[in-house]
Amino acid sequence: MLIVHKYGGTSVGSLERIENVASRVAKAKSEGNDVVVVVSAMSGETNKLIAYANHFSATPSKREMDMLLSSGERVTAALLAIALKENGVDAIAMTGRQAGIKTDNAHMYARIESIDASAMQHEIALGKVVVVAGFQGITEDGSVSTLGRGGSDLSAVAIAGALNADACEIYSDVDGIYTTDPRIESKAKKMDFISYDEMLELASLGAKVLQNRSVELAKKLKVKIVAKSSFSDAEGTIIGEEEEGMEAVLVSGIALDRNQARVTIREVSDRPGIAAEIFTKLADEQINVDMIIQNASSAGMTNLGFTIPQSELAGAKAVIEAFDHDIGGMDLDDSVCKVSVVGVGMKSHAGVAATAFSALARENINIEMISTSEIKISMIIAEKYAELAVRTLHSVYNLDK
Ligand code: ADP
Ligand code: ASP
Ligand code: MG
């Protein structure tokens, strides 16, 4: 079998833990498998590098950020290869470029366009364990690019797809996918299986256990993901295609996204095209606008409210300030969060949303914004209620039973 292992930041967070990863990889190899390992930076490393850059600039050049951030993963890849060799396992570390990962030019959010797997295949054929620095690739003009936060998951899935691997095992500090973040609700239950679609919603809505784009790609390439712990031998959760005849559960999980900020633009001139102009400029800056509310206008003015990732607040502020003469002012609030209820069974059941609203109302939690789709309900609330809201929703849908 050819297996891709991916180890996240916590799993490689110290030299002892890298040693632990080396012995897990050595074991998989000794069982007769070909193994390709994708690694993240040691935990805290990427944040540290971002803080370094922010010392000099609130909006540093994205190209230079990629040069900086890609270094964290290279350190781990090299250390793991060294540790493996010391354990008698022949290994070779590769950067994203050396592994043949080509991306578009969207620095810090780059998309993988293709993978030339020949260099990896060559080393695998020589019996080596290939250790790839996750989270990175190379643009057409030869600059280093990174794939967005949590992007090593995407590297792993893409490599598993390119190598036609039998499985992509993603190792973190939890032994699978739970009905909600087990750090917030200790009664959360581990699932044996979750469909790509449900996992994609959970991941997109803040369950950072898997990066959302990695799940999207796994679905497209039909890569079987297994979420496991690097600290135990527990079974893990399989993420795969929903099987015919499987009974769709009403609600499969609750997600929380704390990386949310709310922007309110006051007294926007109520003329056709103004919203388009503002949102086009935000999109040009790769700022992800999520929920949008426009208040009824009075005296030719309207208020425009929307949410964005907190990490993009500085960028959004700069964009909106350029509309100075078209707006009365803006308010920024980063003390909000988004809680979401996810389940494919919602498609065919009415009243799921009402249950959520009533449950939060009973706890006196005010819902500031709502958005729904066929298989999810998302609510913006004050961040101070985040954990209470997650536990309340987890219990009202009987997920702890
Ligand atoms: P890594 O650093 O290995 O990439 P992450 O920290 O990105 O790992 O993801 C693992 C974390 O995801 C867990 O520690 C857990 O707190 C969190 N998490 C959030 N939602 C869930 C969920 N539904 N099931 C399991 N873990 C979850
Ligand atoms: N090191 C990167 C991050 O912290 C990528 C990853 O860990 O997947 O976002
Ligand atoms: Mg992660």
Side-chain angles (χ1 to χ4, degrees):
M1 293 233 284
L2 170 59
I3 310 172
V4 173
H5 282 199
K6 180 263 169 176
Y7 293 92
T10 340
S11 303
V12 293
S14 67
L15 302 180
E16 291 70 30
R17 288 184 177 180
I18 293 176
E19 184 70 50
N20 168 57
V21 166
S23 43
R24 297 187 78 104
V25 172
K27 180 160 176 281
K29 183 76 181 153
S30 72
E31 287 164 357
N33 300 297
D34 287 325
V35 188
V36 172
V37 188
V38 176
V39 289
S40 286
M42 295 169 79
S43 58
E45 206 53 34
T46 307
N47 288 341
K48 188 184 85 185
L49 295 171
I50 292 173
Y52 283 174
N54 288 340
H55 174 80
F56 300 103
S57 166
T59 51
S61 148
K62 292 185 171 159
R63 182 194 177 279
E64 309 314 322
M65 284 305 284
D66 279 351
M67 187 70 191
L68 178 67
L69 298 186
S70 59
S71 67
E73 270 67 13
R74 295 176 66 146
V75 170
T76 331
L79 291 175
L80 179 58
I82 292 169
L84 280 166
K85 283 177 194 259
E86 200 57 28
N87 282 294
V89 178
D90 201 4
I92 179 168
M94 291 185 177
T95 63
R97 179 182 67 78
Q98 290 166 341
I101 301 175
K102 303 201 175 70
T103 73
D104 64 12
N105 291 319
H107 283 291
M108 295 186 80
Y109 300 95
R111 293 196 160 266
I112 297 178
E113 290 191 328
S114 65
I115 298 186
D116 173 357
S118 54
M120 285 188 285
Q121 275 156 343
H122 177 73
E123 301 298 341
I124 294 168
L126 294 174
K128 293 185 198 174
V129 168
V130 176
V131 184
V132 183
F135 179 50
Q136 57 189 276
I138 189 106
T139 66
E140 205 170 306
D141 64 12
S143 304
V144 182
S145 51
T146 64
L147 309 175
R149 295 307 304 266
S152 297
D153 294 337
L154 180 63
S155 307
V157 168
I159 288 172
L163 293 171
N164 208 358
D166 295 284
C168 181
E169 301 182 349
I170 298 198
Y171 291 89
S172 72
D173 56 356
V174 277
D175 56 7
I177 311 299
Y178 282 70
T179 47
T180 193
D181 189 340
R183 285 178 202 280
I184 297 179
E185 174 54 278
S186 56
K187 291 183 216 146
K189 293 273 180 294
K190 187 167 88 180
M191 302 177 233
D192 298 330
F193 175 90
I194 182 169
S195 69
Y196 290 126
D197 289 337
E198 285 171 304
M199 190 63 234
L200 182 56
E201 287 291 340
L202 283 178
S204 305
L205 295 168
K208 64 168 188 158
V209 59
L210 289 177
Q211 191 221 29
N212 58 347
R213 284 166 58 190
S214 72
V215 182
E216 198 174 22
L217 188 67
K219 178 179 173 167
K220 190 170 146 203
L221 302 179
K222 296 189 165 44
V223 169
K224 173 177 148 190
I225 300 182
V226 192
K228 290 181 155 187
S229 163
S230 63
F231 304 109
S232 80
D233 288 319
E235 275 292 312
T237 302
I238 296 172
I239 296 106
E241 200 64 64
E242 201 174 332
E243 282 165 31
E244 287 290 322
M246 245 164 59
E247 197 191 350
V249 290
L250 184 61
V251 169
S252 53
I254 312 294
L256 170 67
D257 188 350
R258 295 179 192 272
N259 179 21
Q260 290 279 310
R262 177 176 167 155
V263 180
T264 310
I265 312 181
R266 283 179 277 111
E267 294 155 42
V268 181
S269 349
D270 201 359
R271 63 171 169 82
I274 179 75
E277 279 173 43
I278 294 175
F279 290 119
T280 304
K281 280 274 162 28
L282 290 167
D284 287 347
E285 293 299 313
Q286 312 282 344
I287 294 165
N288 257 311
V289 174
D290 185 11
M291 299 188 203
I292 302 175
I293 288 185
Q294 180 172 336
N295 290 349
S297 68
S298 62
M301 299 286 189
T302 154
N303 286 346
L304 203 55
F306 56 90
T307 58
I308 54 170
Q310 236 169 60
S311 43
E312 288 164 19
L313 211 45
K317 188 161 173 265
V319 167
I320 296 160
E321 272 165 359
F323 286 89
D324 225 6
H325 47 278
D326 268 317
I327 65 174
M330 78 177 127
D331 300 313
L332 306 173
D333 181 2
D334 62 5
S335 63
V336 294
C337 67
K338 180 166 72 181
V339 277
S340 307
V341 179
V342 172
V344 288
M346 282 185 209
K347 279 184 197 169
S348 48
H349 282 81
V352 181
T355 305
F357 303 154
S358 319
L360 295 190
R362 275 197 298 279
E363 298 295 336
N364 270 321
I365 301 173
N366 185 41
I367 303 171
E368 299 177 20
M369 286 179 169
I370 298 170
S371 89
T372 62
S373 79
E374 269 200 316
I375 66 169
K376 70 121 204 272
I377 307 153
S378 293
M379 295 155 282
I380 298 289
I381 61 170
E383 172 146 39
K384 63 181 175 192
Y385 296 124
E387 310 211 332
L388 176 61
V390 168
R391 290 196 203 103
T392 302
L393 294 170
H394 194 264
S395 126
V396 80
Y397 294 111
N398 293 318
L399 293 173
D400 36 14
K401 297 285 149 55

